[in-house]
Amino acid sequence: MAFLIYFLLPLGGSLLLQGAMFYGAYRIAGRPRPTLGGIGLAVVFSLTGVGFSVLGNTWVNLLFAVIMFPFVARWVFRASRAAIVPYFILSAAVFLADAVVISGMQFLLVTGMLSLNAVELGYILQVFCARMAEFMVILLVSLAAEKRTEGHVALRQVLLSILLPAFSLFNLYAMVYLLQIFFTLEGMVLLVLDLGMLIGLNIYFCLLVDTIGKNHRLEVERNLYRQQALQYQYYERQEEKYEASRKLIHDIRNHIQAMEALYSREGAMEAARYAGDIQRMLNQFGQKYYTSEKLLNLILNDKAEAMRQAGVREDIKVGELSLDFMESTDVTALFANLLDNAIAAAATSRERYVRLRVGEARQFVSIVMENGCDNRPRRKGSGFYSRKPGHEGLGLEIIQRTVARYGGDVSFEWREGVFYTRVLLGN
């Protein structure tokens, strides 16, 4: 029993702590998919750290838990340099939580505020309390980092992150308190089993909350794709209407030209001016010509109208190009998301403009866009988070996925109140 309590229990607790810290680092890094080499490094580092922790040397534990961990975690998850700061905060918070809990437990035991009739029970309670406190700290630091990047963390996520660990602490204390009344070997074994099940329940609950969060994100993404599919259908209907109106306008113009010729021969200047007014009115029903690509022309006209309504200055020029290599839904997803993000940012900026240049050169389609954007966007890996409410940055992700589908490249840059987007697509 002594071997179980004084060796296996702290060993298992240390392994749990290392796994929880890497889980926290995984969430801070944006939940990337680690490589096999990264997983191997995490396992070796964890086992080495746990092995040295058995020595009980505070300085060795400080070296592994606080100083080395941030650099190892960054390599494991291929995180950016900016992740080093939250990783150090995570390590320091865990180390401090461990010190506070152990010091607090010792104080309660020494002062008699916490009285246990068995040393083993006190040691089990101390180890479990330290690990649960560290687990709560890891979850809270991870949530704080996610809020800083994603900008939205619900209150219930914070409550769920501390509710089960807090219940686990209460449950174990109740078990220890009852075991004092009638201390038996069987009761001690049940206590250890209860402790193991509580740890498993916390891990399961944490993964369950993560799965619920991922499902919510996938639901939002699915709704956004569905919205874009409806938008594509709208553009298809607009194209049919445009073709029909174009034929009608063409016929009416022919009649007006005949009227103008007739009136000019008879010298009716007033009638000619009236016919010219009708021509200008008909021109308003026509759409502006940007490109021979019908779908792209419809999208650009639609977004240009949205710019006019938002008070954003439009500057769009499209050279001769062919988008036959792209699916129609991808054309809609790419250009609609690019322009929607640009309009949303420009509409709230001092420089309210969107400048778009699209052209084709050497079998590549080039898209260069810039727009006013007063607020520096939040970074997300190599890109940025969108500030559009309810989209959680999915528009930019869809742009990146669409470009990657055609072997292209996209880059985003913010500089001095201007947001730059550059896309290169293989034709």
Side-chain angles (χ1 to χ4, degrees):
M1 183 58 67
F3 176 77
L4 175 64
I5 295 174
Y6 293 108
F7 182 75
L8 289 184
L9 179 63
L11 186 67
S14 297
L15 286 173
L16 173 67
L17 175 60
Q18 287 290 333
M21 288 186 69
F22 275 109
Y23 169 72
Y26 162 76
R27 288 178 58 168
I28 291 172
R31 296 181 174 86
R33 179 173 295 179
T35 62
L36 288 177
I39 295 174
L41 177 62
V43 171
V44 171
F45 178 81
S46 298
L47 293 176
T48 305
V50 169
F52 277 106
S53 69
V54 176
L55 301 176
N57 189 306
T58 303
W59 294 106
V60 173
N61 292 339
L62 183 66
L63 173 67
F64 273 88
V66 179
I67 299 175
M68 293 180 63
F69 174 79
F71 298 99
V72 174
R74 183 197 168 200
W75 195 92
V76 168
F77 298 113
R78 294 169 293 173
S80 63
R81 291 182 181 178
I84 288 290
V85 174
Y87 283 172
F88 266 112
I89 293 174
L90 175 68
S91 303
V94 168
F95 194 81
L96 289 174
D98 182 75
V100 169
V101 171
I102 292 177
S103 300
M105 290 288 294
Q106 293 296 330
F107 175 78
L108 293 175
L109 290 170
V110 169
T111 57
M113 297 175 66
L114 178 64
S115 178
L116 300 173
N117 58 15
V119 178
E120 293 85 356
L121 294 177
Y123 184 76
I124 292 174
L125 188 60
Q126 176 178 294
V127 171
F128 189 75
C129 285
R131 294 298 171 258
M132 284 296 102
E134 291 160 352
F135 190 59
M136 282 191 283
V137 165
I138 289 170
L139 293 178
L140 292 175
V141 172
S142 302
L143 281 173
E146 289 175 344
K147 180 175 177 59
R148 183 175 178 274
T149 54
E150 297 183 4
H152 176 72
V153 173
L155 178 61
R156 69 175 181 272
Q157 290 179 266
V158 179
L159 294 177
L160 290 175
S161 297
I162 62 176
L163 182 62
L164 189 58
F167 166 76
S168 301
L169 290 175
F170 175 79
N171 177 270
L172 185 69
Y173 176 74
M175 290 286 293
V176 168
Y177 182 81
L178 293 173
L179 193 59
Q180 289 183 99
I181 300 173
F182 188 64
F183 185 82
T184 62
L185 180 62
E186 292 80 3
M188 182 63 76
V189 172
L190 287 175
L191 177 64
V192 173
L193 290 175
D194 180 66
L195 185 132
M197 286 189 286
L198 283 174
I199 292 174
L201 183 61
N202 275 273
I203 294 173
Y204 171 77
F205 189 73
C206 184
L207 296 176
L208 181 63
V209 171
D210 258 12
T211 302
I212 293 173
K214 289 178 181 177
N215 288 341
H216 171 71
R217 183 175 177 82
L218 289 174
E219 181 72 18
V220 173
E221 188 171 352
R222 188 191 69 174
N223 290 338
L224 188 57
Y225 272 117
R226 183 180 297 169
Q227 176 185 344
Q228 289 177 342
L230 293 174
Q231 192 176 40
Y232 171 67
Q233 293 173 7
Y234 163 77
Y235 287 136
E236 279 190 321
R237 292 193 298 270
Q238 288 295 104
E239 184 176 3
E240 293 172 0
K241 292 179 181 178
Y242 172 64
E243 287 297 324
S245 63
R246 195 164 64 89
K247 292 176 182 177
L248 177 62
I249 291 171
H250 178 74
D251 292 340
I252 293 175
R253 278 178 174 160
N254 288 335
H255 290 300
I256 293 175
Q257 287 172 0
M259 290 170 55
E260 287 177 332
L262 179 63
Y263 286 137
S264 63
R265 284 197 299 270
E266 298 180 0
M269 298 298 297
E270 189 68 26
R273 275 198 300 271
Y274 177 71
D277 290 340
I278 295 176
Q279 282 276 21
R280 284 188 290 274
M281 289 173 61
L282 288 173
N283 285 336
Q284 294 177 2
F285 291 98
Q287 289 200 333
K288 186 175 179 180
Y289 178 86
Y290 291 103
T291 173
S292 57
E293 290 287 330
K294 293 182 179 179
L295 177 58
L296 178 57
N297 202 66
L298 285 169
I299 294 172
L300 295 178
N301 273 279
D302 183 56
K303 300 309 176 186
E305 177 60 28
M307 291 182 210
R308 284 190 287 273
Q309 293 179 3
V312 175
R313 189 173 73 256
E314 169 233 327
D315 183 3
I316 300 175
K317 288 184 172 57
V318 182
E320 287 302 317
L321 77 161
S322 172
L323 298 178
D324 293 342
F325 66 97
M326 294 182 69
E327 296 288 337
S328 298
T329 51
D330 289 333
V331 174
T332 303
L334 178 59
F335 285 95
N337 275 295
L338 281 172
L339 288 164
D340 283 343
N341 289 338
I343 295 169
T348 58
S349 301
R350 291 188 301 272
E351 296 293 329
R352 301 162 68 92
Y353 77 97
V354 173
R355 181 178 294 118
L356 175 66
R357 297 292 183 268
V358 185
E360 184 175 350
R362 298 182 181 179
Q363 298 184 338
F364 286 96
V365 173
S366 170
I367 305 169
V368 180
M369 187 171 66
E370 65 178 77
N371 57 270
C373 180
D374 290 347
N375 299 318
R376 180 187 295 272
R378 299 185 304 276
R379 276 280 180 187
K380 181 184 180 184
S382 60
F384 295 91
Y385 283 97
S386 172
R387 291 184 178 270
K388 289 194 295 181
H391 284 206
E392 301 178 9
L394 293 175
L396 293 178
E397 288 188 15
I398 291 173
I399 292 170
Q400 291 173 320
R401 291 181 191 176
T402 304
V403 172
R405 189 174 296 129
Y406 296 95
D409 183 64
V410 58
S411 64
F412 305 105
E413 181 185 1
W414 182 88
R415 190 170 65 247
E416 298 178 357
V418 180
F419 193 84
Y420 299 91
T421 304
R422 298 175 181 86
V423 178
L424 197 63
L425 295 171
N427 190 339

